[in-house]
Amino acid sequence: MRNHHFSNISLSTFMCVGGVAGGAALTNKLGGSDAALSFVKFGTCMMLALLTIQVIFAIKSQSRALYLIVFNIAFASGIVCFLLCLILPIFWIPTIDASIKIFLSIISVGLWSINVLKGVKIFDLKWASAGQELLARFYRRKEGEIDWDGLSGALRMSVSVYLPGVSQKLNSVLSFLIAVSMLAGLALRNVFPIYSVFSWGIPIIIVISIFAQMMGFGVAQFLKIGALEREQGVFIRPK
């Protein structure tokens, strides 16, 4: 396992543990100790599953670049896991109606899925303009090696807040509103605890969508290098 893989896994572990602990404290405050214990069990299982995947693909990534991409996706998922733990307590609060929870779930999954597809589209556009040139620089066909981290970095992909139907020109305004809403939620957590959950929960859902774009980059990379392997008839190793 490479040093930066170990560092990334350690960072993921730290974030996930912090997320589960923070989510449990919030759940205990709003739903009681039994709800908090249930949340801890769920969060721990989610964390262990994610970290297991990261370790497996960190080891396998030394033999195949495709696995390196899966590891990168799993690392981004670690950040998402941390953020999820700050909004999942909503589902352990009995006073929140089930219909609201279902609606919030549908909206969240829909927004994240759209942003994954947005990330795929961004990658495809970047690849169409510079992909072949970068392959010539970073892929050594005879050795069957590719510097995929270098190649993906050279594509200069960037993420931004993307809400369907909302102009990208309003990104600065959205970012400001997200920050204000989260600060308001934190300030009112003792006076209006249920309101505060939504006040910072909804902005976190939007923030997760940004990381969903990053995961979309990973999905597109996985498909691209998989197609390259089929074309070359070999398994490509990372450099």
Side-chain angles (χ1 to χ4, degrees), residues 69-128:
I69 294 171
V70 176
F71 173 78
N72 290 338
I73 295 173
F75 174 65
S77 299
I79 303 173
V80 171
C81 177
F82 167 76
L83 293 171
L84 275 176
C85 285
L86 302 180
I87 57 174
L88 283 176
I90 290 173
F91 297 91
W92 272 265
I93 300 174
T95 53
I96 297 178
D97 192 75
S99 61
I100 296 177
K101 297 176 182 177
I102 293 172
F103 176 76
L104 195 62
S105 299
I106 293 172
I107 293 297
S108 299
V109 173
L111 179 62
W112 298 337
S113 299
I114 288 171
N115 274 272
V116 169
L117 295 176
K118 177 72 172 178
V120 172
K121 182 178 179 181
I122 291 172
F123 175 87
D124 287 342
L125 290 172
K126 292 284 188 177
W127 187 269

Side-chain angles (χ1 to χ4, degrees), residues 24-193:
L26 180 59
T27 305
N28 183 64
K29 181 179 179 63
L30 300 177
S33 57
D34 290 341
L37 180 60
S38 174
F39 177 86
V40 168
K41 291 178 180 178
F42 175 84
T44 300
C45 290
M46 179 174 64
M47 176 182 68
L48 291 176
L50 177 60
L51 294 176
T52 299
I53 291 171
Q54 289 184 355
V55 170
I56 290 173
F57 283 98
I59 295 171
K60 293 172 72 70
S61 67
Q62 300 181 67
S63 61
R64 194 174 175 189
L66 199 67
Y67 297 141
L68 173 62
I69 294 171
V70 176
F71 173 78
N72 290 338
I73 295 173
F75 174 65
S77 299
I79 303 173
V80 171
C81 177
F82 167 76
L83 293 171
L84 275 176
C85 285
L86 302 180
I87 57 174
L88 283 176
I90 290 173
F91 297 91
W92 272 265
I93 300 174
T95 53
I96 297 178
D97 192 75
S99 61
I100 296 177
K101 297 176 182 177
I102 293 172
F103 176 76
L104 195 62
S105 299
I106 293 172
I107 293 297
S108 299
V109 173
L111 179 62
W112 298 337
S113 299
I114 288 171
N115 274 272
V116 169
L117 295 176
K118 177 72 172 178
V120 172
K121 182 178 179 181
I122 291 172
F123 175 87
D124 287 342
L125 290 172
K126 292 284 188 177
W127 187 269
S129 64
Q132 295 306 313
E133 176 187 343
L134 293 176
L135 272 180
R137 286 173 52 193
F138 293 99
Y139 178 36
R140 299 193 298 179
R141 284 182 170 82
K142 291 183 179 180
E143 292 82 2
E145 292 182 346
I146 190 167
D147 179 5
W148 192 262
D149 285 338
L151 187 152
S152 59
L155 284 173
R156 301 181 184 279
M157 295 176 291
S158 60
V159 295
S160 61
V161 177
Y162 175 67
L163 300 176
V166 178
S167 173
Q168 295 288 89
K169 296 178 181 179
L170 297 176
N171 273 351
S172 58
V173 176
L174 284 172
S175 299
F176 174 76
L177 292 176
I178 287 171
V180 169
S181 181
M182 293 181 72
L183 290 173
L186 291 173
L188 298 173
R189 66 186 184 279
N190 292 321
V191 183
F192 301 109

Side-chain angles (χ1 to χ4, degrees), residues 222-236:
F222 181 90
L223 296 174
K224 183 60 65 177
I225 201 166
L228 186 61
E229 285 188 338
R230 289 191 297 272
E231 178 186 320
Q232 299 291 321
V234 295
F235 289 155
I236 302 173

